Amino acid sequence: MIYRSGAPEDISQLINLRLAYLTEDMGPIEAASAALISQRLPSYFSAHMGKDLLVYVADQGGRLVSTALVILVDKPASPSFPTGRTAILLNVYTLPDFRRQGHAQKLVRMALNGAREGGASYMELKATEAGLNLYRKVGFQPEQSHYTNMKYSFL
């Protein structure tokens, strides 16, 4: 198994892994949504990979079997993030036949190092139940805040 950064030639496999992750996490995706996601992802990966998107993969003979993505976010610096940069870990996913072999843990550690080297003050994530033990094992802690997470949806 080769653990490495993602490359432009990986984009089609990264899209498949992202759709597999989303389907496993959220259930079946409506055809229109899946088509829109599939249409948008190639240009997103091309524009952001290696800049504000760090991609880590486990590659077995040219087949990507596990992935982890990091989005680097620039913000006005504050005491909570004095570098003005934070990181979001997402899409940590391993194909079912390759689970429980340490691939995701290796990629998450690579992601942490990449975010640190990229100047992030911290990394955050939203954990699924299946990922909680992995994230705790590598040092993530549940966040307590006096803020309430909210969002406004345009779609």
Side-chain angles (χ1 to χ4, degrees):
M1 190 70 60
I2 297 171
Y3 301 98
R4 61 177 175 80
S5 294
E9 57 269 17
D10 297 323
I11 289 175
S12 64
Q13 289 190 74
L14 290 168
I15 292 167
N16 292 337
L17 288 168
R18 174 113 176 107
L19 288 169
Y21 166 80
L22 292 171
T23 300
E24 193 169 313
D25 184 44
M26 303 171 126
I29 301 171
E30 291 182 20
S33 291
L36 183 57
I37 292 166
S38 295
Q39 176 187 2
R40 301 276 305 187
L41 284 175
S43 61
Y44 177 81
F45 280 122
S46 293
H48 295 275
M49 192 182 307
K51 297 176 184 113
D52 58 350
L53 173 68
L54 307 177
V55 177
Y56 300 96
V57 298
D59 179 333
Q60 184 180 58
R63 179 183 183 206
L64 303 187
V65 301
S66 188
T67 185
L69 307 179
V70 177
I71 297 174
L72 297 171
V73 181
D74 289 313
K75 305 175 183 183
S78 83
S80 298
F81 39 90
T83 65
R85 180 169 265 198
T86 63
I88 303 167
L89 179 65
L90 69 153
N91 209 120
V92 176
Y93 181 74
T94 302
L95 294 173
D97 290 346
F98 295 87
R99 291 183 182 161
R100 303 256 181 252
Q101 298 172 30
H103 305 308
Q105 183 176 15
K106 173 73 172 168
L107 296 179
V108 169
R109 290 187 189 282
M110 290 172 69
L112 287 165
N113 288 333
R116 183 180 300 112
E117 290 171 6
S121 295
Y122 63 79
M123 181 182 284
E124 62 187 343
L125 61 81
K126 291 185 179 180
T128 63
E129 190 68 31
L132 280 175
N133 287 335
L134 164 66
Y135 301 127
R136 286 188 175 122
K137 193 180 294 184
V138 298
F140 282 90
Q141 299 294 320
E143 184 179 25
Q144 300 295 324
S145 176
H146 63 278
Y147 297 105
T148 300
N149 286 333
M150 300 177 75
K151 74 177 181 180
Y152 184 96
S153 182
F154 294 102
L155 295 178

